[in-house]
Amino acid sequence: MALNSDSPAVPTLLREINERRVLDVLRINGALHAAEIARLVGLSKPTTAALLRGLIDVGLVDEDRPGDLDSKRARSVYSAATKIGISLAIDIGARYLRAATADINGVQLSEVSVAVDEMNLKQLLASLNAAVDRALSDAASLHEDIVSIVIGTPGVVDKRTGQIAIAGTIGDLDGIQLGEVISREFGVEPHLENDINLVAIAELEKGLGRGVLDFAVLSIGTGLGAGLVLNGKLHRGHRGAAGEVFYVPFGDPFDPHHSSTNPAGGGLTELAEQLASTSVASELKKPYTTVSILDAARRGDEFARMVVEHEAERISLYVASISAVVDVELVILAGGIGRQADVLLNPVRKMVEQLLPFPPRVEGTSLGESAVLVGALQLATRKSQEIIFRERSSAIDNDFVTVDR
Amino acid sequence: MALNSDSPAVPTLLREINERRVLDVLRINGALHAAEIARLVGLSKPTTAALLRGLIDVGLVDEDRPGDLDSKRARSVYSAATKIGISLAIDIGARYLRAATADINGVQLSEVSVAVDEMNLKQLLASLNAAVDRALSDAASLHEDIVSIVIGTPGVVDKRTGQIAIAGTIGDLDGIQLGEVISREFGVEPHLENDINLVAIAELEKGLGRGVLDFAVLSIGTGLGAGLVLNGKLHRGHRGAAGEVFYVPFGDPFDPHHSSTNPAGGGLTELAEQLASTSVASELKKPYTTVSILDAARRGDEFARMVVEHEAERISLYVASISAVVDVELVILAGGIGRQADVLLNPVRKMVEQLLPFPPRVEGTSLGESAVLVGALQLATRKSQEIIFRERSSAIDNDFVTVDR
DNA sequence: GCCGTTGTGTTAGGAAACCTACCGAATTGA
DNA sequence: TCAATTCGGTAGGTTTCCTAACACAACGGC
């Protein structure tokens, strides 16, 4: 039973709340005339008109007099300003480096993808700079326009220090170094975030997670990990390690690789090697690869189907663990293997239903390879909007002191 | 990007926020004079005085003129009203039935505990009625004074239907029936809640979870289950089944009893039976009981220590699962076995640190047998406060309509 | 093609919430 | 004892919202 907020409610708080509402309405609905805004926001016309004047004064809203381009009796239409800063998203993957930009309203302006291949930090940063420069020029923007930056990366990002731990997939990547370099380069402190968490945000905003209060994204690819959305918000955990389901101690708890149950990494091919001795007919030949196995399974190859069945069992264990602990409505499979959901989905569903009395829905991701980028852009947009709003609205009234009270 | 609230901000919203702040301040700090309240709330003296007058008018605040009983220059002291309704908490356990009451500010007024023993629903309800009646008379209160009721029970309580599923420990308990009976009896719709969730709330408010944003209570006793507090709030999950860690598929995933890893129920004695063949010296004799094993371990009996060590390993698996999925800062052991944390704590900590790169702190509960009741009372108090506040504050201004806008 | 209806945006007047400043009364402390 | 402090209260003013009324433009039925 603590106080909900530090400061008490004063009249200017009302203005702030209502200004935010007006901006939200404009960002959701696009250009509108004043009376329509008043109805959607729920305020009277005079008040709405005053709000709009204030927002126009600080440059957060644009007014257009379209001759009579627009409909009916409207004299002016209003829209959320666009050219007041951009957000930058960067995805540092194991095989690709991607960058994207969006305007202050979250509309994507550009996207750049560069293949990377075993490079050191110096080379990585050079590629990164090139990619960002291209993303900026494609968006007709400059370094100074960047309001916020979100970087997606494998590994656990510590909330306080920004340090990246248990990265694994990218050799000598260090969160502090990276943060400092970016910060120096762009004059903006970047926000580092675990890549799978960003996929979860992407699913929440633009994917299968829309409107779902509790769901998880289980990513099976180079590594194994999950992103959790609980009560409609990303759950990072105490040190940002939520969703590190690799550490659920199945099988021999002291095997550091959890090889008997890990469906990620080389899990699928290892499984095939192990099962090769069972003399089931197959057109598959060694060396097995993830792709060849999945393709054979799609063609109906008996041995490949058996391997996939086993893989599905392993995946189910992790789906079940997540759901047993947090009871999600939906689990979305993603990542290199998770994206091949067509052959995995049904066996996983069947198994999960046997394991749990309250099984979640299980689906394959509806987002493509740039899911991390989409999530990062989403997060960066929210940050930018908050920064710009604070900046502009405080510019109006920052001059009075209190004495008595 | 949706609107944060349905209605826009109007001046009366300020009043409501500030009224709540004043009440909060009084409930936290006890009786205060007006100037002190103004300082704590952060509002000016005239505004605070007006707020207090309003709250006194509707009976939410009491004004006392203590002659000069109280200190200094204060003419009046103000305190949150107490005699405006009570909250009722009921704990339906496997072996005990408990009831407790608190005033509107959460101050406990009475507590009653009754042993129950294999009874049918009819007998259970009779005992329940008797216990509640005693709790009420001990609190010098009447049925009509009850504002809200929270009932703790084993099993998963569905948010929407109130139905109880997978109860197990209590034979023919049915949430709908129970809710209906209570509702008819007291004229108040009771809120049913999983008992371990209530322990988590108790730890959050009065136990080791105070100030901890992310923690779990792992209850090991008749059954196995966990309560999760994430981001400072109880996490119930999509169907209220969050924390049902019994279903994490360790060992043979198709063993419905998960007997190879379950530390709860008869887990400890079973473990002892299994290990009896290992010829380790022991003063323990069959039949083993949970109590005799734990006592022997405390005395240093080698065999008993080995059994406890194994039990600790099993517990660690569940601690690790929870932490791998949601990354909690702290796991609190509770329940019949969990309360015997003295002998379990160190081996569990050691094991958990081997299993996880980010191990949580592990502690034994600091709350006694009435933890469920404490949590239920907490929840009921919050509900009562909200109900009474709504009732009283809407009594003032519920008479005007809008036309133009 | 005219004129009533409808909808937009503005002005005027007022209500509700907050604030600062000041003042008298009571207590405290030098 | 008397100055300083603190309390509760009043007066006057600001910010924010509201309803009501009105001018003006567009639409549509006749």
Side-chain angles (χ1 to χ4, degrees):
Chain A
M1 194 161 55
L3 289 183
N4 301 321
S5 117
D6 295 340
S7 53
V10 293
T12 53
L13 176 67
L14 292 185
R15 251 288 144 82
E16 189 182 317
I17 293 172
N18 288 328
E19 281 174 343
R20 286 179 192 273
R21 285 178 68 93
V22 169
L23 270 179
D24 277 352
V25 161
L26 289 178
R27 285 184 175 139
I28 294 170
N29 302 50
L32 295 169
H33 51 262
E36 189 69 17
I37 297 169
R39 275 191 295 271
L40 288 168
V41 172
L43 290 167
S44 68
K45 286 189 292 171
T47 301
T48 306
L51 280 165
L52 285 170
R53 274 193 295 276
L55 290 169
I56 290 166
D57 282 351
V58 298
L60 285 169
V61 164
D62 287 339
E63 181 179 7
D64 293 304
R65 294 168 201 274
D68 57 357
L69 184 151
D70 203 71
S71 68
K72 304 216 262 192
R73 291 150 282 249
R75 277 196 263 288
S76 299
V77 293
Y78 303 87
S79 52
T82 54
K83 307 201 168 173
I84 48 175
I86 64 166
S87 311
L88 175 61
I90 297 171
D91 171 13
I92 301 179
R95 286 160 37 230
Y96 288 91
L97 204 63
R98 299 177 214 266
T101 61
D103 72 14
I104 194 71
N105 300 317
V107 175
Q108 188 165 337
L109 301 174
S110 64
E111 180 166 345
V112 170
S113 182
V114 179
V116 295
D117 209 36
E118 291 282 341
M119 40 170 68
N120 60 29
L121 186 60
K122 200 165 181 178
Q123 291 170 305
L124 187 95
L125 286 174
S127 298
L128 185 62
N129 258 311
V132 169
D133 282 347
R134 198 136 60 81
L136 283 174
S137 73
D138 286 2
S141 300
L142 304 170
H143 280 202
E144 304 94 79
D145 299 329
I146 298 173
V147 178
S148 74
I149 304 175
V150 170
I151 305 178
T153 155
V156 172
V157 180
D158 191 293
K159 261 183 245 180
R160 291 152 304 178
T161 62
Q163 180 108 42
I164 302 177
I166 46 175
T169 39
I170 296 185
D172 48 359
L173 185 63
D174 179 323
I176 296 175
Q177 270 183 311
L178 187 62
E180 270 174 12
V181 172
I182 299 279
S183 191
R184 221 178 304 130
E185 187 81 20
F186 301 102
V188 176
E189 189 77 35
H191 173 104
L192 270 76
E193 183 70 60
N194 172 274
D195 51 0
I196 304 177
N197 282 350
L198 293 176
V199 175
I201 289 177
E203 291 286 354
L204 175 63
E205 300 288 343
K206 319 231 164 178
L208 296 170
R210 266 173 300 186
V212 179
L213 230 45
D214 299 293
F215 72 91
V217 173
L218 181 61
S219 173
I220 310 141
T222 320
L224 179 69
L228 267 57
V229 170
L230 302 178
N231 202 18
K233 281 173 60 181
L234 178 70
H235 175 75
R236 292 186 174 89
H238 178 52
R239 300 119 168 146
E244 292 294 325
V245 291
F246 170 79
Y247 294 98
V248 176
F250 290 123
D252 173 11
F254 296 109
D255 170 12
H257 299 101
H258 297 265
S259 48
S260 73
T261 58
N262 189 354
L268 190 62
T269 50
E270 269 171 41
L271 206 49
E273 305 278 0
Q274 283 166 33
L275 295 170
S277 55
T278 63
S279 49
V280 174
S282 175
E283 56 182 28
L284 259 183
K285 290 196 188 69
K286 293 189 185 183
Y288 303 127
T289 70
T290 304
V291 175
S292 71
I293 297 168
L294 289 169
D295 279 352
R298 271 192 204 94
R299 286 195 307 271
D301 183 90
E302 203 180 337
F303 173 71
R305 293 198 86 94
M306 189 178 72
V307 174
V308 167
E309 192 89 15
H310 274 80
E311 172 77 356
E313 278 188 26
R314 291 185 171 189
I315 293 172
S316 304
L317 295 182
Y318 291 93
V319 172
S321 306
I322 295 169
S323 215
V325 173
V326 290
D327 184 24
V328 287
E329 177 179 348
L330 166 70
V331 174
I332 300 169
L333 302 185
I337 293 179
R339 266 198 291 277
Q340 316 287 326
D342 56 333
V343 282
L344 289 166
L345 223 44
N346 276 324
V348 169
R349 284 175 179 152
K350 220 173 93 190
M351 176 90 177
V352 167
E353 269 159 35
Q354 285 175 57
L355 293 174
L356 297 174
F358 297 96
R361 243 166 64 222
V362 181
E363 304 285 352
T365 180
S366 64
L367 302 170
E369 296 240 320
S370 55
V372 175
L373 214 47
V374 169
L377 218 41
Q378 188 68 38
L379 207 57
T381 296
R382 280 213 291 266
K383 284 192 76 159
S384 295
Q385 289 177 347
E386 187 61 28
I387 290 168
I388 291 282
F389 184 85
R390 288 248 173 91
E391 209 177 275
R392 305 268 171 146
S393 65
S394 73
I396 319 172
D397 44 30
N398 52 2
D399 43 357
F400 67 92
V401 207
T402 54
V403 182
D404 180 324
R405 55 176 59 177
Chain B
M1 193 159 55
L3 289 183
N4 301 319
S5 116
D6 294 340
S7 53
V10 292
T12 53
L13 176 67
L14 293 184
R15 249 288 145 77
E16 188 182 318
I17 293 172
N18 288 330
E19 281 174 345
R20 287 179 193 272
R21 284 178 69 94
V22 168
L23 270 178
D24 278 352
V25 161
L26 290 177
R27 285 182 175 141
I28 294 169
N29 301 49
L32 295 170
H33 52 262
E36 189 70 16
I37 297 168
R39 275 190 296 270
L40 288 168
V41 173
L43 290 166
S44 68
K45 287 189 293 171
T47 301
T48 307
L51 280 165
L52 285 169
R53 274 193 297 276
L55 290 169
I56 290 165
D57 281 351
V58 298
L60 285 169
V61 165
D62 287 339
E63 180 178 8
D64 293 305
R65 295 167 201 273
D68 58 357
L69 182 151
D70 203 70
S71 68
K72 306 218 258 189
R73 290 150 285 251
R75 278 195 264 289
S76 298
V77 292
Y78 302 87
S79 52
T82 55
K83 307 201 167 172
I84 49 175
I86 65 166
S87 311
L88 174 61
I90 297 171
D91 172 13
I92 301 178
R95 286 159 37 228
Y96 288 91
L97 205 61
R98 298 177 214 268
T101 61
D103 72 12
I104 194 72
N105 301 317
V107 175
Q108 188 165 337
L109 300 174
S110 65
E111 179 166 345
V112 170
S113 181
V114 179
V116 294
D117 212 35
E118 293 282 341
M119 40 170 71
N120 60 29
L121 186 60
K122 199 164 183 179
Q123 291 170 306
L124 187 97
L125 286 174
S127 298
L128 185 63
N129 259 312
V132 169
D133 282 346
R134 197 135 61 79
L136 283 175
S137 73
D138 287 2
S141 300
L142 305 170
H143 279 202
E144 305 93 81
D145 299 328
I146 299 173
V147 179
S148 74
I149 304 174
V150 170
I151 304 178
T153 154
V156 172
V157 180
D158 191 293
K159 260 182 246 179
R160 291 153 302 177
T161 61
Q163 179 110 41
I164 301 176
I166 46 174
T169 40
I170 297 183
D172 49 358
L173 184 63
D174 179 324
I176 295 175
Q177 270 184 310
L178 187 62
E180 271 175 12
V181 173
I182 299 278
S183 191
R184 222 177 302 131
E185 187 80 21
F186 301 103
V188 176
E189 188 76 35
H191 173 105
L192 271 77
E193 183 70 59
N194 171 274
D195 51 1
I196 304 177
N197 281 351
L198 293 175
V199 175
I201 289 177
E203 291 286 354
L204 175 64
E205 299 288 343
K206 319 232 164 176
L208 296 171
R210 265 174 302 187
V212 180
L213 230 45
D214 297 294
F215 71 90
V217 173
L218 180 61
S219 174
I220 309 140
T222 321
L224 178 69
L228 266 56
V229 171
L230 302 178
N231 202 19
K233 281 173 60 181
L234 178 70
H235 176 74
R236 293 187 173 90
H238 179 52
R239 297 103 158 166
E244 293 294 328
V245 290
F246 172 79
Y247 294 98
V248 176
F250 290 124
D252 173 10
F254 295 108
D255 170 11
H257 300 101
H258 297 265
S259 48
S260 72
T261 58
N262 189 355
L268 191 61
T269 50
E270 268 172 41
L271 206 48
E273 306 279 1
Q274 282 166 36
L275 294 169
S277 56
T278 63
S279 49
V280 174
S282 176
E283 55 183 27
L284 259 183
K285 290 196 189 70
K286 295 191 184 183
Y288 303 127
T289 70
T290 304
V291 174
S292 70
I293 297 168
L294 289 168
D295 279 350
R298 272 191 204 94
R299 286 194 309 271
D301 182 89
E302 202 180 336
F303 174 71
R305 292 198 87 95
M306 190 178 71
V307 174
V308 166
E309 192 90 14
H310 274 80
E311 173 76 356
E313 278 187 26
R314 291 185 172 190
I315 293 173
S316 305
L317 295 183
Y318 291 94
V319 172
S321 305
I322 294 169
S323 216
V325 174
V326 291
D327 184 22
V328 287
E329 177 178 349
L330 166 68
V331 174
I332 300 169
L333 301 184
I337 293 178
R339 267 198 290 277
Q340 316 286 327
D342 55 334
V343 283
L344 289 167
L345 223 43
N346 277 325
V348 169
R349 283 173 180 154
K350 220 172 93 190
M351 177 88 178
V352 167
E353 270 158 33
Q354 286 175 57
L355 293 175
L356 296 175
F358 297 97
R361 246 167 62 223
V362 181
E363 305 285 351
T365 180
S366 64
L367 302 170
E369 296 240 321
S370 54
V372 175
L373 214 48
V374 169
L377 217 41
Q378 188 69 38
L379 209 56
T381 296
R382 280 213 292 267
K383 283 193 76 157
S384 295
Q385 288 176 349
E386 188 60 29
I387 290 168
I388 291 283
F389 184 85
R390 289 249 173 89
E391 207 178 277
R392 305 270 171 146
S393 64
S394 72
I396 318 171
D397 44 29
N398 52 2
D399 43 356
F400 65 91
V401 207
T402 55
V403 181
D404 179 323
R405 53 177 58 178

